[in-house]
Amino acid sequence: MIVETRELFFTNSALKKAIAWYQKVPNQPDLPLGVVTMVTPKPGGSLVVTIQQSGASKGREIAFTASKTLALLLLFCRRQKIPIPRDAVKDLDNGEDGIYLIIRGETATTAPPP
């Protein structure tokens, strides 16, 4: 068996861009329109996103679970044309000022017949 492991690090700047892409998804109920002012990674891959909506005096905080964070990162990778294997195991981990997307794929191997 061959095992491939990749780590993609999303900086705070990249996370803001990923969230901006997610805001444009039609009929998504998670994020209102507004300017993303801050993204705070939390343990386990969750996020807290602060949005400044037009006309509001203070920012609105929205929590993302790890599974929602993974979904928005996969959407971002698709929009940026970063290939992610569908059948690979995907996990999130916190880094300094960002999040790691860890991708682990396994390929079965064969040998020629004797």
Side-chain angles (χ1 to χ4, degrees):
M1 179 167 299
I2 299 169
V3 178
E4 174 189 18
T5 303
R6 289 173 50 201
E7 288 185 2
L8 303 177
F9 183 69
F10 294 84
T11 62
N12 206 288
S13 171
L15 290 171
K16 285 181 182 178
K17 290 175 185 172
I19 291 163
W21 276 106
Y22 188 74
Q23 280 180 311
K24 305 256 187 245
V25 171
N27 301 319
Q28 60 82 13
D30 303 314
L31 283 174
L33 290 177
V35 177
V36 177
T37 57
M38 189 167 33
V39 178
T40 309
K42 297 291 181 183
S46 60
L47 292 175
V48 174
V49 179
T50 305
I51 303 237
Q52 183 67 45
Q53 292 178 290
S54 125
S57 59
K58 65 182 214 179
R60 178 176 170 191
E61 288 189 350
I62 298 153
F64 270 73
T65 62
S67 61
K68 287 275 188 188
T69 301
L70 179 59
L72 91 92
L73 293 180
L74 292 175
L75 172 70
F76 186 59
C77 286
R78 174 179 264 172
R79 298 280 191 248
Q80 301 301 310
K81 300 188 184 330
I82 299 169
I84 306 290
R86 285 186 185 180
D87 57 348
V89 176
K90 298 154 193 88
D91 197 15
L92 297 174
D93 195 10
N94 282 35
E96 234 180 88
D97 195 35
I99 288 185
Y100 285 98
L101 170 58
I102 302 160
I103 304 159
R104 185 172 188 265
E106 296 180 355
T107 304
T109 56
T110 60

